[in-house]
Amino acid sequence: MTTLTINGFEVQVPEGSTILQAAGKLGITIPTFCHDPRLVPHGSCRICIVEVAGSKNLSAACSTPVYEGMVVYTESKSVVEVRKEILDLLLSNHPLDCLTCEKAGRCTLQDLCYRYDVKESFYGGAIKKFETDDSNPFYYSDQNKCILCGKCVYVCSQLQGTNAISFAERGFETHIATPFDKGLEHSTCVSCGNCVSVCPVGALMPKSKEKFRYWETRTVRTTCSYCGVGCQMDLLVKNNKVVGVDPAMGPSNEGLLCVKGKFAFNFINHPDRLKGPLIRKNGKLVESTWQEAYDVITEKINEVKKNHGPKAIAGFSSARVTNEENYLMMKFIRGIIGSNNVDHCARLCHASTVAGLATTLGSGAMTNPIRDVMKADAIFVTGSNTTEAHPVMATYIKRAVKEGKRLIVADPREIELSSYADVYLKIKPGTSVALSNGMLHVILEAGLEDQDYIMAYTEGYEELKELVKEYTPERVAQICGVKEEAIRRAARIYGEASRASIIYSMGITQHVNGTENVMSLSNLALVTGNLGIEGGGVNPLRGQNNVQGACDMGALPNVFSGYQQVTNPGVIDKFEAAWGCKLSDEVGLTVTEAIPAAERGDVRLLYIMGENPMVSDPDTKHVEKGLKKTFLIVQDIFLTETAALADVVLPAATFAEKDGTFTNTERRVQRIRKAVDSPGEAKADWLILMELMNQLGYGKIYNGPEEIFEEIRMLTPQYAGITYDRIREAGIPWPCPSEDHPGTPILHRGKPARGTGLLKPVKWIESMELGDEKYPYVLTTGRILYQYHTRTMSDKSEGIHQIAPQAYVEINPELAELKGIADGELIQVSSRRGAIIIKAKITDKVDEKVLFIPFHWANGANVLTNGETLDQYCKIPGLKVTGVKVEKIGS
Ligand code: SF4
Ligand code: SF4
Ligand code: SF4
């Protein structure tokens, strides 16, 4: 430790600290423009200069290290004079339009001029030199206000990892070249707004739909409601409206956001929000009161239960609503209805993760925290378009690569991360098992396995070793359509690293052999001993904000909350005692079974909360038939494609209108907080469910989500030690068994949770979708940055809609030429399930045999996908491999 004195106060700080850090410890504020603790100090603004006793020159506090006995003055006469001079110079080049500037009240220049009594510049006023650039849909740049602190440039390059913004020109003409000034399509800018968030003046500002002054707003700390990264953010609220979003320093986002988190919040205030219940009368949805809607629902539930039994009712819970609401949905279906027919859209994304990792490791969740990837020596990203689907997670991967870590990417499409990779394997869709087996073959051949770990903590090694002998790099190269040498290199990079992390997502899971895909990745980690350590692990990135929580809460047909089996008599006894009702021990229907059951007439009533299967589920025609045949209740924030088919529609609250918790992909349980009231008569999902349960005779009253959470932790061992009070500041990753337990950032420390890691020999089998001459091409689907899931929320943002207004199919130039298809032309893509007309986007991101369609749009990709053939373990459909043909319209 080093002891020094600042303004007469003694302070001790770790060796190597800066004066700025030492002053911070004493609560002394040294002004800064360019400083950001996350960036390499660059000392360009000089406003942080301080006087160090014995030194002839003033020193920049942000970059000067302390030494023993140092004496510092932060507001001496000479310091203040120089600061005034700096401010004077800045003002000479800065418009004095504080009366109308949107940054007023939050401008560091304004604050410091006030602090040092600088009213105008000695050197005269500023001349307007630059036109405002408003070509980005989300923010504008007024370079007349730029003070050249450089924060935007360094945040974009060092943290966001995009390098889209830079200094341009020299001398008095120096300014920040804004990324869109050459046109939207030519910029690498991803509109994350992280540059906007750090700009200390009004030079980079969000385009706001609402007029507001910062001092008129209050901030509410919450969790992003888009992807599973779980970024922390502050909602800016004025007059019961969310008018802006600022990033917060959360454990998973470190003050960063992506375009959706930062800018796509218009859905909250959108005029199309559902504001009251609707009931179908004479074929039309008409407004009703809550009581009328509850009466219709309870009458129908009682009728179906009486005539067809509880198994004729199913409920879809939601990856978008809170843990408390998912818990209540499963309690409603299990405790009140009396069946286990509760599931949610994890069935379509990570059911195979839950099944695969629970089988091999004993816990079906991400093993390591998000930012831990920066500690890996090698990162294997497979089946995850991370920069688009989990943008903030991708910033850490890019940073790791910049620091010299090795990256392997396997994906049928060339994604942004491919260009960062040491080895990029453009594998054929559906060949991941072969690739993992091939990599294992090379690892074992080269003696790169961790024999000690294998002997101490795994079982099934000999069988696995025998199986992978068949997967020579030559054979695997044939299967995957990549070079043999690339497989060898990828295997060596992964096998030689002392810490290697596997990151995967739906490119692995959404297959009819999704569970085996997951198991084959688990084999790689176990054989190399990459579990239970920092920078290692098997890390599934969960897609939606609370898909992890929805699984944890037992919104699955085979388990209660905490993955407690519905077939276990002890578990049944526990829940029966707690809830005071009789429970079924028969595993219920999955999403992929409930819809066909509705079509057959076996499920007579379907209650869907916050899901939109008409867009997200495979084989839309069959989904529609099923939904139309059953009595359908939909609870949502907009009249979605699914809600439009409902018999009763219940208006729900957004994340900004309620309290509760989400669990992010790294198992961290985090708070969301009510910032505004819901429009009209819309209510929080938990309240609707509770009122309905009360109407059906279950008298339990919860006075708020915290009371539901208390019940959850009483019944769910992984959540037992988590309380609202403990997660007030930062979330806690489960398992957290007691209130004095800090939570578990890294799973399987010491040994795998199941005791020994199970090495499962899995064979590669070609998808039955392929090999048919009538449908010779492979369609694969996925997410894009500028939309989210079924677009219910994201498309309400004008900027998002402007950039990604419609569906398209990516098609290779060779295939386009063969078919005579031009870029932008409408073409027909058909599968065994149906046909769609869609815009062609010609790109060599995909190979000649592969097509890609983002699944976000209705009457799009999922008209074509197969909902019938399912993974044998978890019943996930094979959304990533569909046999299709492609034709020019009229040919
Ligand atoms: S919006 Fe994001 S990507 Fe674009 S310039 Fe700013 S920091 Fe860079
Ligand atoms: S635009 Fe803002 S953040 Fe960027 S250099 Fe100028 S003042 Fe600094
Ligand atoms: S990365 Fe995910 S959680 Fe973070 S702001 Fe973007 S959408 Fe929200």
Side-chain angles (χ1 to χ4, degrees), residues 236-365:
L236 301 185
V237 182
K238 178 192 167 186
N239 295 342
N240 200 36
K241 269 191 173 174
V242 175
V243 295
V245 172
D246 283 331
M249 289 297 285
S252 63
N253 68 313
E254 240 197 347
L256 298 180
L257 291 176
C258 78
V259 59
K260 293 189 284 277
K262 172 77 181 166
F263 297 116
F265 57 86
N266 288 350
F267 69 92
I268 304 166
N269 307 331
H270 199 275
D272 291 350
R273 284 284 303 280
L274 288 169
K275 297 179 191 75
L278 305 170
I279 297 177
R280 190 169 296 278
K281 287 182 183 162
N282 301 321
K284 282 197 174 144
L285 284 170
V286 294
E287 287 175 16
S288 80
T289 64
W290 275 103
Q291 194 52 54
E292 259 183 281
Y294 286 152
D295 287 346
V296 171
I297 294 170
T298 48
E299 195 181 316
K300 193 71 191 175
I301 285 175
N302 289 332
E303 179 204 311
V304 173
K305 262 180 90 169
K306 185 164 166 250
N307 297 330
H308 306 280
K311 287 200 288 183
I313 297 174
F316 291 176
S317 203
S318 174
R320 280 191 225 147
V321 305
T322 63
N323 288 324
E324 293 77 358
E325 291 163 339
N326 273 291
Y327 174 84
L328 271 204
M329 181 54 135
M330 78 105 184
K331 182 171 179 178
F332 172 55
I333 296 294
R334 296 198 153 109
I336 312 303
I337 303 297
S339 82
N340 283 310
N341 290 345
V342 60
D343 201 10
H344 72 289
C345 65
R347 188 65 46 203
L348 306 170
C349 64
H350 275 282
S352 36
T353 289
V354 177
L357 295 185
T359 304
T360 59
L361 305 177
S363 179

